[in-house]
Every structure is written in C-alpha cells, then in structure tokens.
Amino acid sequence: MEIKKELNKTGGLNNLEHLAKQVVEGFISGMHKSPFHGFSAEFAEHKIYNLGDSTKHIDWKLFAKTDKLYTKKYDDETNLRCHIIIDNSSSMHYPLIENLSIKRLNKIAFSALASASLMQILKKQRDAVGLSVYSDVLEFYSPEKGSERHHQMLLNTLDELVNKKPVNSNTNTYKFLHQIAEKIHRRSLIFVFTDMLQSDIEEENLFEALSHLKYNKHEVVLFHVLDLKKELNFNFENSPKKYLDLETNDFVNLYADQAKQNYISGFSKYINKLKNKCLNYKVNYVEADINGDFNTILSTYLLERQKLI
C-alpha cells in the first residue's frame, strides 16, 4: 500500500489530523469518482446549460434524447449526524508499542486514526459528528456538532488516546453502550470501535447493548478491531511465554502450540456468533485488522451513508 510509505514520512502519529487527511486523500485518489459530489444533495430540477456553467452536472442522458444541454440542479445538502464510539480499555492498547507509526499500530491507535479519517470526510461534507470514549468509566462524551472548533476538540481527544500511557482498566462495553444509546436521540450513523473482549459480562448482554443502539432508526456499524495474526490465529513462537491479560493481570505460562488449536477453535466460534448476532440485529459487522489499511473503514462509511440518507 503506497499510502503507508507517504504517511511514514511524517514521523509516527504525532500529527493525527495530517495523517487522517493523507489517508482520505489516498483513498479518494484510488476511486473512479469522488464521493463528495452530489452525495448528500437530492436532485430538484433541470435548467438550461449556459456558456460558462460547470459541466460537472450536465445530464448527458437527457442530451442524447433532446440534443440540448441541461444541468441538474440540486436541493441544499442534507446534513448527516454521525457518532463515533471508541473502547479505550487496556486490551485496546495491545500490542504494547513504544514508537507507534503507520506501519506499527496497536488497536487504539488504529481506531483513533480510522476515526480521524472518518471525521475528515464528515468535515468535507459539513456533517455533524460526535464522539464517545469508554473503558471502565465513560471517559468522554460529546454530542454531534459540525463546527471547526468542535472538530479540533475531537482530534485533541483522539490524540490523547494514542499518546497517553495505558492504565489497567476493565471494559464496560455493555453498560456504556446502553448509556450512549440513551443520549443519541436523533437518527444517526453510529460507528463502534472495540475488540468486544469483556470477561465478566455474558455475551448475550453485549449483543443486547448493540441492539439498543439500533433504536430511533440508527444505522450501526461495529468495527471489530483485532490483531488477526495474534488474536485470531495465535501466531506466536512455540517457546515458553507468559501470557498476560491486560485488563485483569491474570496470566498463564505455556508453549503456544499447547493452546493454539483450542484457542483458535474457541475464538472462531465467538466471532461467528458475534457475526450472526449482528446480522440478526441488523448491525453491520466489519472485521478491522490493525495490520490492514483503512480503505475498508472508509468504504463502509460511504455505503452506510447512502443507506441512511
């Protein structure tokens, strides 16, 4: 992916806004047409094309029928409301990396950069965006707004997520998804970035919390943030290692091969169950591998936006 070479020149994740702009620009340049033209505007009527008018909105199909040039006139843009929810528990800071860069991201850095990239598109569209961050407490909540000042405040919050040293904290996904759902009253597009790892809550309760976000006709996308090499495929060297739970500090000493088969089987079953539950609740499940790129994230946004408006 060429964008990674360009982003790496900026020196890590010190300038999240600049990185997000580069991610979005790289994504758009790879598309056949920009998503920013007529995306949130509805067609109103035709008008005769006058010399000097932009040719961008000429209706060529109508020209073929009438041999006259008409342009499409659009109503004012319909603003979208979007809310981004980020899990900031200890497990989201895996793997522990001292010097983060675009080529070396942990789960929280991936989520923050993906969120900043989504915010960059929303800013271009003049859409309103809100942000929630939770762990064992609701660390941050801001309702949807579209101002530049608000945008900068959210970027600063994302910067803090990436640059602060992780503190051992459990996840309260179940509790805080319910709380956030109660706060979002108007129909919105909701993105959730989480690894869905929580040891002390039944799976059914987590799924119920996701379904709560579907109230008021929200469109909900779950970005399941994982390090697929390690967390799904258990790709560790077969040497004696101490495996530590970042949230509870529980640990086990073992050789990777001793647990690999049972681990992969159990975790795969959990993911399949999660996917099925999301399907039942009409929540869009997206596997977000921190070793991958951001095109999947941004493409999902475009598709969900079209559904919502």
Side-chain angles (χ1 to χ4, degrees):
M1 180 185 176
E2 293 299 317
I3 189 67
K4 287 188 175 182
K5 294 180 181 179
E6 295 300 319
L7 292 176
N8 204 39
K9 296 175 184 177
T10 63
L13 296 182
N14 295 324
N15 191 333
L16 196 61
E17 183 177 19
H18 177 67
L19 289 174
K21 288 179 180 178
Q22 299 252 8
V23 168
V24 171
E25 288 169 6
F27 170 73
I28 295 171
S29 67
M31 301 180 68
H32 293 296
K33 64 177 182 178
S34 171
F36 300 125
H37 297 305
F39 202 18
S40 60
E42 294 186 359
F43 172 74
E45 60 182 348
H46 285 101
K47 68 174 185 176
I48 297 175
Y49 173 79
N50 294 313
L51 188 63
D53 289 348
S54 172
T55 60
K56 182 170 60 178
H57 296 302
I58 289 179
D59 191 333
W60 295 107
K61 289 185 178 179
L62 188 59
F63 172 73
K65 294 178 180 179
T66 64
D67 202 29
K68 294 181 180 180
L69 288 175
Y70 292 90
T71 59
K72 293 181 179 179
K73 186 178 179 181
Y74 293 89
D75 286 327
D76 290 338
E77 291 190 350
T78 303
N79 289 336
L80 177 78
R81 300 174 66 85
C82 179
H83 200 91
I84 299 172
I85 304 173
I86 301 178
D87 174 1
N88 190 37
S89 59
S90 296
S91 64
M92 288 290 287
H93 290 263
Y94 177 85
L96 299 176
I97 299 174
E98 288 190 8
N99 297 312
L100 291 165
S101 73
I102 192 66
K103 290 186 176 181
R104 301 178 71 246
L105 295 171
N106 57 16
K107 290 188 283 186
I108 195 65
F110 181 95
S111 300
L113 184 50
S115 298
S117 301
L118 288 170
M119 285 167 48
Q120 179 64 20
I121 294 184
L122 290 160
K123 181 181 177 182
K124 284 178 176 287
Q125 294 290 125
R126 299 191 293 276
D127 291 330
V129 59
L131 177 67
S132 294
V133 180
Y134 71 89
S135 54
D136 54 347
V137 296
L138 184 57
E139 299 179 9
F140 180 87
Y141 173 81
S142 180
E144 301 80 20
K145 297 180 182 179
S147 68
E148 176 62 24
R149 182 178 179 181
H150 181 74
H151 181 81
Q152 291 301 321
M153 181 188 71
L154 299 189
L155 282 174
N156 289 336
T157 301
L158 295 177
D159 275 327
E160 290 178 4
L161 292 184
V162 173
N163 295 313
K164 273 188 177 180
K165 290 185 178 180
V167 178
N168 284 350
S169 59
N170 294 321
T171 313
N172 253 325
T173 299
Y174 166 73
K175 176 181 178 181
F176 293 115
L177 287 188
H178 278 302
Q179 284 190 17
I180 295 166
E182 292 292 337
K183 293 175 179 288
I184 306 173
H185 300 295
R186 295 180 60 183
R187 187 174 180 228
S188 303
L189 175 56
I190 301 175
F191 294 120
V192 184
F193 290 87
T194 177
D195 54 13
M196 287 296 287
L197 298 177
Q198 185 165 347
S199 60
D200 59 341
I201 293 292
E202 294 292 331
E203 292 175 3
E204 289 299 324
N205 290 338
L206 288 174
F207 301 145
E208 287 175 10
L210 282 175
S211 72
H212 191 176
L213 289 173
K214 286 292 293 183
Y215 286 6
N216 296 329
K217 298 182 179 180
H218 298 314
E219 287 293 331
V220 181
V221 182
L222 171 65
F223 289 117
H224 194 190
V225 187
L226 295 168
D227 181 345
L228 293 186
K229 292 180 181 178
K230 304 293 187 182
E231 294 183 305
L232 179 60
N233 299 322
F234 209 70
N235 188 16
F236 294 95
E237 293 181 2
N238 189 36
S239 57
K241 292 184 183 295
K242 178 180 179 179
Y243 294 87
L244 176 70
D245 186 320
L246 293 175
E247 298 190 5
T248 66
N249 282 328
D250 292 337
F251 68 90
V252 60
N253 295 309
L254 52 77
Y255 287 85
D257 286 358
Q258 292 177 330
K260 187 170 186 176
Q261 186 173 353
N262 288 336
Y263 173 88
I264 292 175
S265 175
F267 199 63
S268 296
K269 287 180 181 177
Y270 171 69
I271 289 180
N272 288 334
K273 185 176 182 180
L274 176 58
K275 289 178 179 178
N276 288 332
K277 286 293 184 180
C278 286
L279 187 64
N280 292 339
Y281 293 135
K282 295 183 179 179
V283 171
N284 189 352
Y285 174 93
V286 180
E287 190 174 79
D289 180 15
I290 64 172
N291 303 298
D293 57 38
F294 298 95
N295 286 0
T296 299
I297 307 292
L298 300 181
S299 297
T300 302
Y301 160 77
L302 299 183
L303 292 172
E304 291 301 314
R305 182 189 176 94
Q306 287 176 314
K307 288 167 57 178
L308 191 62
I309 64 174

